[in-house]
Amino acid sequence: MEVKLNKYIRFIYIALWGYIIVFFCTFCTESKKTYTITGKAPDLKDNTVLYLVPIENATKETADSTYIVNGTFEFKGEIEKEEVKIIRTKSHLSFRFQPVLVVIEPGEIKVVLDSVSIAENTLQNELLQTWKNVKQDFDKDIEMQKKQLRNSEETFKQEIRERIGALSEKYATYNYEFIKQHQHTTVGQFVYKMVGNSLTEEQKESLKLIEKEQ
């Protein structure tokens, strides 16, 4: 009788520990991931309100806000889903810095709000920042060429148009390669929504084929 009782107690002990292990494993699996955005805003006054707003389907419930304190700010939260948001302020203050796009993903995202704002220090924000840098360079080059086109004599206009076409083709190729490499990430899907219309039909079909193969 005592032997059977000891076996029963041992069984209960093992079962209890098994339950505890399963509980903690489930808890760890289901616990939500978090993000932190730490930022600097050297040209904004203390108590200036900043907003963190989704690019798509923004509502009062999905927006967040914080204040500038000693030229710094912070956002924290749980990640319901990875998505791209924008940090901005009220419209009449927007000229003081460039609103910045950030990918909400686990980790500490570091931001600087300035005439050219940056977001970095996590994998997808580094990728997004790289893409933004290329886009800013392209926009600058295209604007310079268009200015020359407006001010040039007719004999030079065709040459300038060809340069604009070459720049646009180069940029479209870069976007295609970027999307192809990162199409299953939040940043890749965001870039596709931004510039997908500039891709050729062949490039769009190629992306669809790659998605089917994977």
Side-chain angles (χ1 to χ4, degrees), residues 1 18 41-42 74 76 98 101 104 116 122 165 182 189 205 213:
M1 182 69 178
E74 182 178 85
K76 281 186 176 182
Q98 179 189 53
L101 298 170
I104 301 303
V116 178
T122 61
H182 306 293
Q189 293 164 10
E205 286 300 318
E213 289 174 358

Side-chain angles (χ1 to χ4, degrees), residues 40-52:
K40 298 179 181 179
D43 293 332
L44 294 179
K45 295 180 180 180
D46 280 4
N47 297 318
T48 298
V49 182
L50 295 177
Y51 301 95
L52 179 65

Side-chain angles (χ1 to χ4, degrees), residues 142-158:
I142 285 294
E143 183 57 35
M144 183 178 68
Q145 293 298 327
K146 287 182 177 179
K147 184 177 181 180
Q148 289 183 5
L149 184 64
R150 290 192 296 269
N151 298 328
S152 68
E153 297 179 4
E154 192 62 37
T155 53
F156 299 109
K157 288 185 182 294
Q158 183 57 34

Side-chain angles (χ1 to χ4, degrees), residues 147-192:
K147 184 177 181 180
Q148 289 183 5
L149 184 64
R150 290 192 296 269
N151 298 328
S152 68
E153 297 179 4
E154 192 62 37
T155 53
F156 299 109
K157 288 185 182 294
Q158 183 57 34
E159 179 183 347
I160 297 171
R161 290 191 186 99
E162 290 175 359
R163 289 204 296 268
I164 292 174
L167 283 170
S168 299
E169 184 177 345
K170 182 179 179 182
Y171 180 57
T173 300
Y174 169 80
N175 283 328
Y176 167 69
E177 294 295 337
F178 184 96
I179 295 167
K180 183 172 71 172
Q181 185 175 357
H182 306 293
Q183 64 176 319
H184 297 296
T185 66
T186 300
V187 66
Q189 293 164 10
F190 169 76
V191 171
Y192 183 77

